[in-house]
């Protein structure tokens, strides 16, 4: 019976200890009751807790603690864990509890002091006023923090709790602001039109749809609509059946009218559309009317710009055949100046254009008699890559062949010392540069050099 009685006492102690822990839990998380309930039940709880403490002490003195001791330790650990949460948030309670452990005294006095302290802390919390957030984990938006994209507003949620409540109470610091004063960042300038274009730019359109696009392009002055319409027509002009359809619908004058605009983006898109349309021989007969204007604009626009590259591509397509090359012969000095001044991509494109003229023997005299900068000789240096070297070697080879075929070598007195004829034929500098390329590391360049040297 002795062990049974001890086990029963231990079980009763565990149950009553759990009840005490529950009371502590309610007090800790702000679920305190009214002051009257605390005053009425104060005496009963203190007497009950003292009896429980005395029972636990007598039970702990038994020799066979076994299962009862383990249960008591588990209950004590739970109580310590629950109380520890509140002790961390209240430094005064922690100091007082530490002083109780050192001063000793009866368990009844300790329990009474603990409950009175917890009651005072609960009432103090209730008097602090409303907090910004709750401990349960509600997320609030911080209006003073900017969005990742630089916009002002509440995009970053912050976790509110005891820290937010402590900041809200007391005097407000100078840096804190009740409302964000950050001005929203302006968006990047983009073209926006109020009109919804009826097609996608990569749609393959039929004749009726192409007519609609041309009507829109002819009537609108909105640069956004003009750009989308020109891109749509340019993509459709890549197909041969649409090249004829656009010409038959009268689209060439509508597109060419936009090369006079001051907007460089519109001019570029117009050049690209005409470039795709110029693949058709019949379309070239219509585009030749505008070729001089395209050439002049290409030479005076910003160096190495997208408009200049689009204009050079259009001129290159228009000079593939010999029919319209004579319309551009007045621009030969400008072409060679651009060859010297332009960047890598401009050099490549302008050399393709000049090579088209060198393949027409009828243009040889006008080509070799134009004035060129002497710095063009630097294009034969081995530091250039394969494409530059192959193009300049082809250009030299074609001119050298045409001079022989046209018999211009005997009339060298007609050409000045600043002419292309003197630079390529009489100075001898080009020949030395070409011979220096015979040991080039690139096999393709080496073969091209040997082919040119055999014709000298």
């Amino acid at each position: 019976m002795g062990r049974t009685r001890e086990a029963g006492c231990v079980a009763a102690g565990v149950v009553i200890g759990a009840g005490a822990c529950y009371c502590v839990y309610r007090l800790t998380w702000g679920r305190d009751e009214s002051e009257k309930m605390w005053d009425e039940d104060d005496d009963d709880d203190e007497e009950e807790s003292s009896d429980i403490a005395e029972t636990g002490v007598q039970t702990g003195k038994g020799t066979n603690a076994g299962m009862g001791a383990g249960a008591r330790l588990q209950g004590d650990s739970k109580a310590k864990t629950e109380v520890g949460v509140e002790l961390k948030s209240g430094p005064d309670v922690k100091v007082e509890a530490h002083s109780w452990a050192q001063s000793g005294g009866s368990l009844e006095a300790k329990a009474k002091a603990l409950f009175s302290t917890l009651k005072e802390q609960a009432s103090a919390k209730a008097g602090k006023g409303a907090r910004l957030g709750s401990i349960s984990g509600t997320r609030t938006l911080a209006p003073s923090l900017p969005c990742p994209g630089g916009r002002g507003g509440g995009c970053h949620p912050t976790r509110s709790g005891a820290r937010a409540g402590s900041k809200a109470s007391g005097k407000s610091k100078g840096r804190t602001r009740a409302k964000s004063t950050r001005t929203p960042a302006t968006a990047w300038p983009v073209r926006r039109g109020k009109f919804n274009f009826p097609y996608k730019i990569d749609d393959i359109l039929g004749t009726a749809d192409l007519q609609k696009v041309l009507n829109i392009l002819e009537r609108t002055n909105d640069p956004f609509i003009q750009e989308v319409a020109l891109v749509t027509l340019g993509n459709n002009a890549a197909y041969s059946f649409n090249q004829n359809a656009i010409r038959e619908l009268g689209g060439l004058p509508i597109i060419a009218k936009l090369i006079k605009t001051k907007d460089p983006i519109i001019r570029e898109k117009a050049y690209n559309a005409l470039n795709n349309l110029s693949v058709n021989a019949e379309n070239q007969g219509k585009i030749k009317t505008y070729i001089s204007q395209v050439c002049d604009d290409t030479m005076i626009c910003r160096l190495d710009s997208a408009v200049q590259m689009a204009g050079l591509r259009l001129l290159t397509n228009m000079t593939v055949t010999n029919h319209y090359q004579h319309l551009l012969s007045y621009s030969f000095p400008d072409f060679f100046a651009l060859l010297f001044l332009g960047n890598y991509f401009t050099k490549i494109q302008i050399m393709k254009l000049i090579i088209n003229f060198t393949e027409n023997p009828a243009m040889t005299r006008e080509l070799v008699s134009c004035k060129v900068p002497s710095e063009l000789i630097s294009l034969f240096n081995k530091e250039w890559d394969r494409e530059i070297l192959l193009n300049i070697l082809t250009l030299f080879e074609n001119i050298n062949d045409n001079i022989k075929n046209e018999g211009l070598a005997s009339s060298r007195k007609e050409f000045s010392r600043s002419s292309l004829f003197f630079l390529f034929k009489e100075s001898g500098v080009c020949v030395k540069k070409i011979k220096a390329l015979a040991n080039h590391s690139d096999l393709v360049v080496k073969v091209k050099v040997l082919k040119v040297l055999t014709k000298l």
Side-chain angles (χ1 to χ4, degrees):
M1 290 299 292
R3 292 186 177 180
T4 304
R5 181 178 298 175
E6 290 178 358
C9 293
V10 171
V14 171
V15 172
I16 298 174
C21 293
Y22 176 72
C23 293
V24 174
Y25 166 78
R26 292 185 63 185
L27 291 172
T28 303
W29 293 90
R31 300 181 180 180
D32 53 334
E33 298 180 356
S34 63
E35 294 292 336
K36 294 182 180 180
M37 295 182 62
W38 278 100
D39 294 336
E40 292 175 358
D41 299 338
D42 192 12
D43 298 334
D44 297 336
D45 292 340
E46 290 176 359
E47 292 176 0
E48 185 179 359
S49 62
S50 63
D51 295 338
I52 293 169
E54 291 176 359
T55 305
V57 171
Q58 291 176 2
T59 305
K61 293 180 180 180
T63 54
N64 296 326
M67 178 178 65
R72 186 177 69 254
L73 291 174
Q74 185 177 2
D76 293 340
S77 64
K78 291 182 179 178
K80 290 179 180 178
T81 303
E82 298 295 333
V83 176
V85 175
E86 184 63 26
L87 291 178
K88 289 182 181 179
S89 61
D92 297 336
V93 179
K94 185 174 182 181
V95 174
E96 291 180 4
H98 182 68
S99 63
W100 297 336
Q102 291 180 353
S103 61
S106 63
L107 293 176
E108 181 179 359
K110 293 179 180 179
K112 185 182 296 185
L114 176 62
F115 277 106
S116 61
T117 305
L118 292 176
K119 183 171 61 175
E120 291 176 359
Q121 185 177 5
S123 61
K125 285 184 178 180
K128 283 184 178 181
R131 292 183 296 177
L132 290 180
S134 62
I135 302 177
S136 58
T138 57
R139 297 174 74 87
T140 58
L141 296 180
S144 61
L145 293 178
C147 288
R151 307 278 182 175
C155 292
H156 297 274
T158 58
R159 190 159 185 103
S160 60
R163 185 180 302 174
S166 63
K167 289 184 179 180
S169 62
K171 296 182 179 179
S172 60
K173 297 181 180 180
R175 295 183 180 179
T176 58
R177 291 176 292 181
K179 185 179 289 186
S180 175
T181 58
R182 182 186 296 271
T183 56
T186 56
W188 289 100
V190 294
R191 292 180 181 240
R192 296 186 181 276
K194 298 180 180 179
F195 177 76
N196 293 326
F197 199 72
Y199 308 103
K200 296 181 179 179
I201 59 175
D202 55 350
D203 287 344
I204 302 176
L205 307 179
T207 303
D209 295 326
L210 289 174
Q211 183 66 65
K212 293 180 181 179
V213 175
L214 289 172
N215 291 338
I216 294 172
L217 182 61
E218 186 177 14
R219 297 173 183 175
T220 185
N221 291 323
D222 188 348
F224 174 78
I225 301 301
Q226 291 175 342
E227 180 181 354
V228 176
L230 287 172
V231 173
T232 303
L233 292 172
N235 291 337
N236 279 269
Y239 302 94
S240 58
F241 54 88
N242 278 337
Q243 293 170 1
N244 294 324
I246 293 174
R247 182 187 70 253
E248 293 171 358
L249 292 172
L252 290 175
I254 297 175
I255 298 174
K257 181 181 66 175
L258 296 175
I259 65 177
K260 300 178 182 179
T261 183
K262 296 181 179 180
D263 192 334
I265 297 179
I266 301 301
R267 292 207 311 272
E268 177 196 355
K269 306 308 179 186
Y271 289 157
N272 290 336
L274 292 175
N275 182 36
N276 290 341
L277 290 169
S278 66
V279 177
N280 186 287
E282 295 184 25
N283 288 343
Q284 284 191 359
K286 301 287 184 179
I287 298 175
K288 70 177 182 179
T289 308
Y290 315 101
I291 190 171
S292 297
Q293 183 179 350
V294 173
C295 183
D296 294 341
D297 181 63
T298 303
M299 294 299 108
I300 64 175
C301 68
R302 186 168 60 87
L303 184 65
D304 303 328
S305 62
V307 181
Q308 190 172 67
M309 290 298 297
L312 289 175
R313 286 192 295 267
L314 175 58
L315 295 177
T316 303
N317 271 354
M318 289 295 296
T319 55
V320 170
T321 61
N322 301 338
H323 302 298
Y324 313 110
Q325 291 182 354
H326 64 281
L327 299 174
L328 300 177
S329 59
Y330 70 95
S331 297
F332 285 160
D334 297 330
F335 293 159
F336 284 103
L338 190 59
L339 177 59
F340 168 68
L341 297 174
N343 61 11
Y344 174 83
F345 300 101
T346 303
K347 290 183 190 308
I348 295 295
Q349 194 61 50
I350 198 69
M351 278 194 284
K352 292 179 180 179
L353 174 60
I354 297 175
I355 287 174
N356 288 342
F357 291 103
T358 61
E359 292 176 349
N360 182 9
M363 302 296 300
T364 303
R365 182 178 291 274
E366 294 184 45
L367 189 62
V368 298
S369 61
C370 71
K371 296 181 179 181
V372 297
S374 59
E375 291 82 2
L376 285 180
I377 203 69
S378 62
L379 294 175
F380 292 92
N381 293 339
K382 62 180 180 180
E383 287 79 12
W384 292 103
D385 67 346
R386 175 192 292 184
E387 190 168 6
I388 291 285
L389 291 176
L390 290 179
N391 281 312
I392 194 64
L393 288 172
T394 301
L395 193 151
F396 178 85
E397 180 184 9
N398 291 343
I399 290 178
N400 186 65
D401 292 343
N402 291 335
I403 289 175
K404 290 182 179 180
N405 296 334
E406 296 295 322
L408 297 178
S410 58
S411 57
R412 60 176 58 93
K413 295 182 180 180
E414 300 178 8
F415 307 104
S416 63
R417 297 180 62 87
S418 59
S419 64
L420 182 64
F421 178 88
F422 184 84
L423 182 65
F424 275 12
K425 192 69 177 177
E426 294 297 317
S427 65
V429 180
C430 284
V431 176
K432 294 180 180 180
K433 290 281 188 179
I434 294 173
K435 289 181 179 180
L437 293 174
N439 297 325
H440 199 274
S441 58
D442 193 306
L443 181 60
V444 178
V445 175
K446 186 183 296 186
V447 171
K448 184 68 174 179
V449 169
L450 294 177
K451 179 182 177 181
V452 172
L453 291 177
T454 56
K455 295 182 178 181
L456 294 178

